[in-house]
Amino acid sequence: MRRYLIAGNWKMNKTIKEACELVNKLVAELKDIKEIDIAIFPPFTALSETYKIIKETNISLGAQNMWYEPKGAYTGETSPAFIVDVGCKYVIVGHSERRKYFQEKDELINRKVKSAIEWNLIPIVCVGETLEQREKGETNKVIEYEINELDGIDFSKIVLAYEPIWAIGTGKTATPETAEETHKFIRDLIQKKYSPEIASNLCILYGGSAKPDNIEALIRKPDIDGALVGGASLEANSFIEMIKKARSV
Ligand code: 13P
């Protein structure tokens, strides 16, 4: 049985103090929620302090990125070993902002996903099309390509996030119907490539201007298992409202 997951990707926001303030509010309001999974992805600098607050709670911690080697001469990078050490359960891999601003390609993403699994982290692997690709009718082709590039990966150990790039940070959410179409396409593809069991157990999140107003309609769709939330996760009230709404669906 799949469980809903609501995950807050804070991106490059919040000092340690701000992060702790937000997490304290989340813990106070969300501590009794057992029906759905909750995760937050603060910036690296705030992982250690936020973990101290959520350690014994129902809120899990994740990192926004990682390198694939456990240690060595990789100036500025963060090892999966460090991410595990600081208390993370999840790691986001292949976010479109990493693909765009840091030139991350599918081959690198594949290595990172494999390494995360080796370290018993749950990678949340992002896929999604640009506006141009959508307008040309290439959405399914792009998604299929990105999923095929995740070659040799055990799909029972990952979470997928469908994040249409045109919906990220733009306020333009995919309608629940549009999102569901792609989520269903992904699940059918996984069923064909792997097995009905892997497909039906795979958690597929939607990301792209998910907010309190649209979360319920999105996750009521049969193939949408939660959300990877950017902007609306930076403010305690909106993230709390999303989780409470998701719990009641
Ligand atoms: P927004 O919710 O701000 O559109 O960001 C989505 C996202 O990129 C989550 O990873």
Side-chain angles (χ1 to χ4, degrees):
M1 242 323 252
R2 305 195 299 267
R3 277 168 68 84
Y4 285 133
L5 168 63
I6 305 290
N9 173 12
W10 297 4
K11 308 191 180 184
M12 199 177 73
N13 293 289
K14 310 267 177 211
T15 60
I16 296 173
K17 182 168 172 279
E18 290 163 350
C20 292
E21 280 167 12
L22 173 53
V23 173
N24 277 318
K25 288 185 194 159
L26 299 181
V27 169
E29 284 289 324
L30 302 174
K31 60 180 182 313
D32 296 326
I33 295 188
K34 304 271 179 292
E35 302 86 344
I36 66 169
D37 294 329
I38 307 166
I40 54 164
F41 294 75
F44 282 112
T45 45
L47 287 175
S48 179
E49 289 302 314
T50 49
Y51 184 64
K52 289 181 192 161
I53 305 170
I54 61 173
K55 199 173 174 180
E56 310 284 331
T57 73
N58 55 339
I59 302 177
S60 300
L61 193 67
Q64 298 175 18
N65 178 36
M66 58 170 252
W67 190 238
Y68 58 84
E69 293 285 3
K71 64 178 178 178
Y74 301 100
T75 302
E77 283 298 334
T78 306
S79 145
F82 305 164
I83 291 172
V84 171
D85 187 42
V86 79
C88 290
K89 174 176 175 185
Y90 297 96
V91 60
I92 298 172
V93 180
H95 193 282
S96 60
E97 287 151 15
R98 303 258 0 135
R99 295 178 193 253
K100 179 176 171 193
Y101 299 118
F102 305 96
Q103 291 76 46
E104 290 200 7
K105 299 280 181 288
D106 294 301
E107 196 213 332
L108 175 65
I109 291 163
N110 188 308
R111 283 182 190 232
K112 289 185 176 191
V113 175
K114 283 186 181 143
S115 168
I117 294 171
E118 275 170 30
W119 283 88
N120 288 323
L121 288 158
I122 302 172
I124 300 188
V125 188
C126 304
V127 296
E129 80 288 3
T130 61
L131 183 59
E132 194 189 350
Q133 289 164 333
R134 171 156 287 266
E135 284 172 347
K136 283 197 202 147
E138 293 175 353
T139 301
N140 291 356
K141 195 176 101 187
V142 171
I143 303 292
E144 184 163 358
Y145 178 83
E146 288 181 328
I147 287 179
N148 286 339
E149 288 294 302
L150 294 169
D151 192 36
I153 280 160
D154 182 349
F155 272 69
S156 69
K157 301 218 162 100
I158 72 169
V159 168
L160 272 186
Y162 168 55
E163 299 210 317
I165 295 166
W166 48 271
I168 296 178
T170 57
K172 265 196 230 168
T173 327
T175 63
E177 290 68 32
T178 307
E180 169 62 16
E181 229 172 76
T182 306
H183 281 238
K184 182 164 184 342
F185 174 77
I186 294 172
R187 205 176 300 285
D188 289 348
L189 184 65
I190 301 300
Q191 171 161 342
K192 270 186 256 148
K193 273 181 73 91
Y194 300 101
S195 73
E197 197 195 349
I198 291 181
S200 76
N201 288 328
L202 179 67
C203 174
I204 311 176
L205 305 180
Y206 168 80
S209 302
K211 41 188 181 276
D213 299 357
N214 56 27
I215 188 71
E216 280 177 275
L218 284 163
I219 67 172
R220 276 189 199 282
K221 294 292 178 193
D223 293 295
I224 303 182
D225 305 312
L228 186 54
V229 187
S233 71
L234 293 174
E235 208 260 307
N237 289 345
S238 55
F239 195 57
I240 290 165
E241 193 181 341
M242 289 178 85
I243 286 161
K244 291 191 170 166
K245 284 188 167 168
R247 167 215 222 178
S248 65
V249 171

